Amino acid sequence: MGTTVRFAMLVVLMLAAGGAMILPVVDTLRSGDRLGCNLAAGVDPDNLGNGPALISALSQAVPYLACMAKYAPPPPWWGTAGWPVLLSCAAGVLFLVLPAWKARGGRVVPLESVDRDGELRGLLADLAATAGLARTPRVVVDPTALSTGAVVFGRNGRPTVCLHGGLLAGRNSEPQRFRAVLLHELAHIANRDVTITYVTVALWRVFLALVLVPYLIWEGAMIYGTYIEFGASNWRSNLPTTTRGVLLPVVLVALVYLARSNVLHSREVYADLTAVRWGADPSGWVGTADRAPADSTRRRAFASFLDMWRTHPRWELRRDILADPAPLFGIRALPMFLTGAAAALIDFHVLNYLSPYYVAGAWLNQAVVLASAVLVTGVVGIALWREVAHAVLTSERVPSGVRSGLWLGAGMAAGNLITGFGSGAEWYPTRPQFLLLVVCAGVVYAVWVAQCARLWTRTWRGRTLRPVLLVSLAAAVVLLSCWLAWWGQVGGPFANGFSFSSDGVHAALLYDFPGRLTGHPAMLSAITAVMPPVQSTLLLPLVPAAVAVFWVVPLLAWAAGPRTAVPRWAEGALQGTGARAAAPGDAIPPLRRVLLPGLLGGAVGWVAVAGVQAYMHTWQPGPEQRGGMFAWSYVAWLLVALVSATAVAAITAVARSGPYRLLGALIAAETAALPSLAGMILLTSSDGCVAPLNTLGSSCTWTPPWQSLGPAFLFLVNGTLVLGAVTAVVVAAAGSACARAGASRAWRSARPARPARPARTAAPGRGPSARRARRVTVSVLCAVAVGIAAVETVGQARQKLRIVTASAAQRATQQWGGVADAPVSADRKAEQVHAWYRLGGHYLIWHANAHADHFVNELRTIAAAKDVDWTDLKQALSPVRPACVNLGKVAQWANGSYFRIPDLRARLLWQQFGAQARQGSQDCQKALDQRDFTLFRTAIREIGGARNSAAAVKSRVDKVLLDADYEAPAHPDWFFEVPPGAQ
């Protein structure tokens, strides 16, 4: 299974990377003005991808997408989707052609031409029967190959075995060798790895020819044009992006080649094991053994590094594995690192592949990262389960998963640095410390999988581990996909410099609880800092499901109870490896050691919630003033109380969970969260019934918290569950660090450390009533946890199962974005203003001035006329109505339908024009409808002010462009094409 998943990751990585790498190559061949749209949006091309650039584009999403659609349209979808199809078809054709090419008549001859008496065919038929093959495969001979080997090619359904001439020549002198080589090749057929092998080879060659070579040519042309032909003066700012462009294919080639080598390496080793199980003599392979590496650590490490790049492992290594198969179950650092990097690269390339079409949405992003999570779990999760199961069966030291997790997390962090996600055009993110979260996430993931594997192998009584393996890996997929989604939508932008706008947060607070946000500045600062990232996390689609499986899966394993004999699944698990299964060594702590701390934490939660109500009662304002700051302070203190209860439970459980600290802390924390939430619901529903605890209510009525607290209730429930899990992880990490430090001090001390007291298992004599109570408790906890997750996930699906529109993205960014404009040089600012002007700003400026002048001219014409009937004001002033209406339209364009002016002074004047023209247009039309001459005079003053502002904008833009030696801006008296977004 592990080899198949690695092969799948190889295929996905090559297809995703191939499509994403060829996209800029194809895009270069298309004419477009992507640069102009970015400049008009106020983006600095030298810093594409950083926080200010992203905020600037997203806060103007409507005009930005309209500009890109008009001046830099994406390639047709069939062209983009067709490239992976082309790669797949090319690989398929090559896969079909390779066997025919290898078996062409001028290179090989049929076996019958050299086996006149049929002796070899009879021997092959006997060996095929030994291998359990339904029929003898086709056999050819390569008489020019002097080596004493053989090779199988083709596909699983139609394999061909090619015998080398040297092997046939030595058949009589070395019959055991001849038989061992043939059994090895037949083992490839029996293991059904022939198709995987040659699909891998075909994909690799197609990737080199159709993707890597064009990309390198394109990258070379870009480097030449940027640094040599045009002599970029800002080469230092372009260097990180250029370096990534060069480094990306290098890393991709290394990833693809190592994944390919790993697939081919595994097939050779398992073919050896299969052949030996059928009776092959390993001594038959001794003659071709490589010279053993030197004994120095450096040389051994170098030899081990080279082994990872070989498609065929050294004969010495293969003999060692036949003698002791333990290395097959070990986990190497570099494959873990490359798997983490592959996950980051796959997500980056797939999202880049979709980026030209500007489709986004929570569930769409979740689906993208879910695919990479499946692949990573298939590689890392299965490897950890194999390593743990082997250690359990052979009574060896069970791995903790920390080392593997560190390398996995380091790979994911390195993948983000290589792709530039979270870094933009810089070498590293604005907040590089956030990358430590990526490494920690890899550790938590690997430790959770390893501890679940250790727990299930101790408790499972079935004939095979496959059911619990699939359940655990499915849970691991959900967990990892949630992390990847969080990093892509929350963590990465934060690392890139994004921060939430305080004004936007305050507006959201007042939307839920109208009132005043005065008083208690420390609490307001804490709410403003904590609530947005927590709320952003809770909005991810699979977060409720991830929290549930995080602790329910280990709870089910723990509830199964320990076993004392060799389990049934261990029978035959090590067949053919030379190892024998052993009875379990360490004991599992009783389940009550983690459930009782959870119940204790629940009681603490009840007391803490009551304490919060008592505290809030001491400064309870009048009924009309219990919104705003007071209500949000109440919610914040409730969250602190609930999370504190989970912390108490986790701390208590960590000291009693033995080697399962993470799982014990999770179970205890989430167990404490459920009764604490129940107590919160009861106490807040009866708010007003107990005078010392009155908070939002003053009279005794039953008001459920989803009514009294509104949306804040879901924030409390989900926030408690999520922060409780995070708290459990932190507590478990601290407990493990303390335990490790204690063991280290004991090792360094002169006196031997006192042996730890072995953990007691559940007493078998407690009777059926105790077991029934345990099952009922576990069933209730699991049902509640799964029920909450199901309800929340369905609710998320109803609200989030849609693509985010440009207007929605623009509104959200304008409210929540807290990144200021990045400083740019005067020349760059002039480029931005010029792009703004030529892509549509000239149209707006001309119309703003033209309609304001037209309004004034119409008034002058009316005033000069002698036959005007002033008794009917509406009829007398009817010629100015079109100008009033048109000014209102121009004002709408100035309010987000087109880019804001990159120059700050001109932008403020343009905003002033928009406000004056909008108000003047409304007052003008209202005055005409109501025949209100006083209001009409007010409209005249407002439109006059708008006219002055429009003239000032024109003068400022002209000055900026002329100072930068651009041609004098022309403002002709004819209509330009309507700019993007200004319909």
Side-chain angles (χ1 to χ4, degrees):
M1 183 185 290
T3 302
T4 303
V5 177
R6 284 194 294 269
F7 169 74
M9 173 172 277
L10 171 66
V11 172
V12 172
L13 180 60
M14 281 197 286
L15 292 179
M21 289 173 67
I22 212 67
L23 191 62
V25 179
V26 176
D27 200 45
T28 304
L29 304 177
R30 299 167 53 87
S31 60
D33 196 5
R34 182 185 301 270
L35 176 62
C37 291
N38 282 310
L39 287 171
V43 175
D44 185 358
D46 294 335
N47 293 288
L48 284 174
N50 61 12
L54 292 174
I55 294 301
S56 182
L58 286 175
S59 63
Q60 305 176 87
V62 172
Y64 183 81
L65 297 186
C67 181
M68 296 296 285
K70 181 176 180 61
Y71 296 109
W77 67 268
W78 51 265
T80 305
W83 191 257
V85 175
L86 176 62
L87 293 179
S88 302
C89 292
V93 171
L94 184 60
F95 170 73
L96 296 176
V97 169
L98 276 176
W101 176 256
K102 286 178 174 290
R104 64 189 185 276
R107 180 176 180 179
V108 300
V109 298
L111 179 63
E112 290 78 6
S113 63
V114 296
D115 184 28
R116 304 292 183 182
D117 56 2
E119 179 183 357
L120 287 177
R121 281 171 285 175
L123 176 60
L124 283 169
D126 292 339
L127 293 179
T130 301
L133 301 180
R135 63 176 183 271
T136 304
R138 178 193 177 198
V139 181
V140 296
V141 178
D142 184 358
T144 62
L146 302 180
S147 62
T148 57
V151 65
V152 59
F153 56 83
R155 55 184 185 271
N156 293 334
R158 297 183 60 185
T160 299
V161 179
C162 179
L163 306 180
H164 294 173
L167 180 67
L168 288 179
R171 177 174 65 90
N172 293 325
S173 60
E174 295 181 298
Q176 292 297 327
R177 178 182 184 80
F178 183 78
R179 187 173 186 275
V181 171
L182 286 181
L183 282 175
H184 174 89
E185 301 306 324
L186 294 177
H188 284 306
I189 301 173
N191 291 341
R192 303 188 64 81
D193 61 22
V194 181
T195 297
I196 286 180
T197 300
Y198 283 92
V199 169
T200 302
V201 172
L203 276 171
W204 169 248
R205 294 180 180 179
V206 167
F207 179 80
L208 290 179
L210 297 184
V211 176
L212 189 61
V213 172
Y215 180 83
L216 290 177
I217 294 174
W218 172 82
E219 185 66 32
M222 292 296 102
I223 293 175
Y224 176 81
T226 302
Y227 294 96
I228 299 177
E229 183 177 1
F230 297 107
S233 59
N234 55 345
W235 65 271
R236 292 182 182 276
S237 60
N238 288 329
L239 191 58
T241 303
T242 305
T243 303
R244 288 193 182 99
V246 175
L247 188 61
L248 184 61
V250 174
V251 174
L252 281 173
V253 168
L255 283 171
V256 172
Y257 189 86
L258 281 172
R260 167 180 174 268
S261 299
N262 189 264
V263 170
L264 301 180
H265 187 285
S266 298
R267 71 185 287 267
E268 294 299 327
V269 172
Y270 282 101
D272 286 343
L273 291 172
T274 303
V276 170
R277 192 166 66 247
W278 290 338
D281 185 3
S283 62
W285 298 321
V286 173
T288 57
D290 300 318
R291 182 174 61 86
D295 292 335
S296 69
T297 303
R298 182 177 300 178
R299 289 180 177 269
R300 285 198 302 270
F302 183 69
S304 177
F305 175 77
L306 291 180
D307 283 339
M308 290 186 296
W309 298 85
R310 292 189 175 101
T311 57
H312 281 65
R314 291 180 292 111
W315 284 108
E316 181 189 25
L317 180 61
R318 293 164 72 172
R319 287 199 318 272
D320 292 343
I321 290 177
L322 290 175
D324 179 15
L328 289 176
F329 302 94
I331 297 180
R332 293 185 177 183
L334 186 57
M336 292 295 102
F337 179 86
L338 294 177
T339 300
L345 290 173
I346 289 174
D347 292 343
F348 174 79
H349 284 307
V350 173
L351 291 174
N352 264 8
Y353 213 47
L354 298 174
S355 62
Y357 305 97
Y358 306 104
V359 290
W363 280 97
L364 177 64
N365 295 338
Q366 188 73 67
V368 170
V369 299
L370 190 64
S372 60
V374 169
L375 295 173
V376 171
T377 301
V379 175
V380 178
I382 291 176
L384 286 168
W385 264 80
R386 283 168 48 83
E387 187 179 31
V388 170
H390 180 266
V392 169
L393 290 176
T394 56
S395 296
E396 297 177 356
R397 182 177 178 272
V398 180
S400 65
V402 172
R403 178 176 174 272
S404 300
L406 282 171
W407 283 107
L408 176 66
M412 291 192 292
N416 280 278
L417 289 176
I418 292 169
T419 59
F421 182 79
S423 305
E426 303 297 332
W427 289 108
Y428 49 84
T430 305
R431 302 181 180 121
Q433 63 272 19
F434 271 72
L435 288 177
L436 293 176
L437 290 178
V438 180
V439 180
C440 293
V443 174
V444 173
Y445 168 81
V447 170
W448 186 87
V449 172
Q451 289 192 11
C452 281
R454 183 175 185 176
L455 192 57
W456 277 115
T457 53
R458 298 293 188 188
T459 60
W460 185 246
R461 296 175 175 82
R463 291 186 177 275
T464 174
L465 282 175
R466 185 166 297 176
V468 292
L469 168 67
L470 294 177
V471 169
S472 296
L473 293 186
V477 166
V478 175
L479 291 173
L480 184 59
S481 68
C482 258
W483 159 256
L484 294 174
W486 182 88
W487 176 253
Q489 300 179 52
V490 182
F494 265 90
N496 205 4
F498 176 83
S499 60
F500 286 96
S501 166
S502 298
D503 292 338
V505 176
H506 295 168
L509 296 178
L510 293 177
Y511 180 82
D512 290 334
F513 292 111
R516 299 168 59 187
L517 293 178
T518 55
H520 302 274
M523 174 60 73
L524 180 60
S525 299
I527 294 174
T528 303
V530 173
M531 193 200 79
V534 173
Q535 186 67 24
S536 301
T537 302
L538 300 181
L539 292 177
L540 297 177
L542 291 183
V543 163
V547 173
V549 300
F550 206 16
W551 69 283
V552 167
V553 171
L555 175 61
L556 292 175
W558 217 315
R563 54 171 173 74
T564 57
V566 176
R568 289 187 297 169
W569 61 263
E571 299 174 2
L574 300 175
Q575 184 179 358
T577 64
R580 299 183 62 184
D586 59 345
I588 299 175
L591 183 59
R592 64 178 180 275
R593 290 195 175 185
V594 294
L595 288 184
L596 290 180
L599 298 177
L600 171 64
V604 171
W606 280 64
V607 174
V609 170
V612 167
Q613 289 184 320
Y615 166 71
M616 297 299 297
H617 179 73
T618 59
W619 58 289
Q620 182 188 34
E624 301 298 329
Q625 301 175 350
R626 294 176 189 174
M629 191 64 217
F630 180 79
W632 274 110
S633 298
Y634 181 39
V635 171
W637 280 117
L638 284 177
L639 183 62
V640 170
L642 295 170
V643 175
S644 299
T646 64
V648 170
I651 293 171
T652 308
V654 160
R656 300 160 56 87
S657 301
Y660 307 98
R661 294 185 183 89
L662 176 60
L663 304 186
L666 285 169
I667 295 172
E670 297 300 316
T671 300
L674 296 183
S676 298
L677 287 171
M680 183 271 294
I681 293 174
L682 178 62
L683 291 174
T684 54
S685 298
S686 57
D687 189 5
C689 296
V690 181
L693 304 182
N694 290 353
T695 306
L696 297 179
S698 300
S699 59
C700 186
T701 57
W702 181 264
T703 306
W706 47 88
Q707 296 179 5
S708 60
L709 299 178
F713 171 71
L714 291 180
F715 174 77
L716 278 175
V717 173
N718 295 325
T720 300
L721 296 175
V722 171
L723 294 180
V726 174
T727 301
V729 171
V730 174
V731 170
S736 298
C738 292
R740 191 177 294 272
S744 178
R745 285 195 301 269
W747 180 79
R748 291 194 303 265
S749 63
R751 294 179 299 176
R754 185 174 60 183
R757 181 184 302 174
R760 294 183 300 170
T761 60
R766 287 187 174 270
S769 59
R771 290 193 295 271
R772 190 180 303 111
R774 181 180 64 189
R775 290 173 182 171
V776 170
T777 303
V778 171
S779 299
V780 171
L781 290 174
C782 292
V784 174
V786 172
I788 293 175
V791 171
E792 288 297 311
T793 303
V794 170
Q796 290 276 25
R798 290 178 177 176
Q799 297 178 10
K800 300 292 179 181
L801 197 58
R802 60 177 183 267
I803 301 299
V804 178
T805 62
S807 57
Q810 179 168 300
R811 286 194 305 271
T813 309
Q814 288 175 352
Q815 176 180 350
W816 297 99
V819 177
D821 292 344
V824 295
S825 65
D827 292 339
R828 179 68 77 197
K829 182 67 69 177
E831 288 184 61
Q832 293 174 340
V833 174
H834 182 257
W836 179 90
Y837 178 79
R838 66 182 177 83
L839 294 181
H842 59 311
Y843 172 84
L844 299 182
I845 290 178
W846 182 85
H847 270 282
N849 285 275
H851 289 302
D853 290 343
H854 178 67
F855 178 82
V856 174
N857 291 335
E858 287 294 333
L859 284 180
R860 289 173 178 172
T861 301
I862 295 172
K866 298 181 179 179
D867 56 347
V868 177
D869 183 9
W870 291 103
T871 59
D872 188 355
L873 185 64
K874 183 176 181 180
Q875 181 63 31
L877 297 176
S878 59
V880 303
R881 180 182 289 273
C884 293
V885 174
N886 289 333
L887 275 174
K889 293 179 179 179
V890 177
Q892 291 177 357
W893 297 338
N895 190 31
S897 293
Y898 186 62
F899 298 114
R900 56 179 178 262
I901 305 179
D903 180 73
L904 180 60
R905 188 184 304 177
R907 182 191 310 170
L908 295 176
L909 289 171
W910 186 242
Q911 293 173 350
Q912 179 176 302
F913 160 79
Q916 293 171 332
R918 181 170 53 254
Q919 189 62 46
S921 174
Q922 294 173 357
D923 289 344
C924 175
Q925 296 176 67
K926 185 177 180 181
L928 295 178
D929 293 337
Q930 298 178 357
R931 296 175 172 82
D932 187 341
F933 193 75
T934 302
L935 182 59
F936 184 74
R937 283 182 296 186
T938 302
I940 292 176
R941 289 193 298 271
E942 292 166 343
I943 294 177
R947 182 190 183 199
N948 295 335
S949 298
V953 171
K954 176 181 180 300
S955 299
R956 175 61 186 173
V957 170
D958 291 353
K959 182 179 186 305
V960 171
L961 297 181
L962 291 173
D963 288 348
D965 295 329
Y966 285 100
E967 294 183 0
H971 302 280
D973 57 352
W974 48 272
F975 284 85
F976 287 84
E977 188 175 2
V978 177
Q983 279 80 6

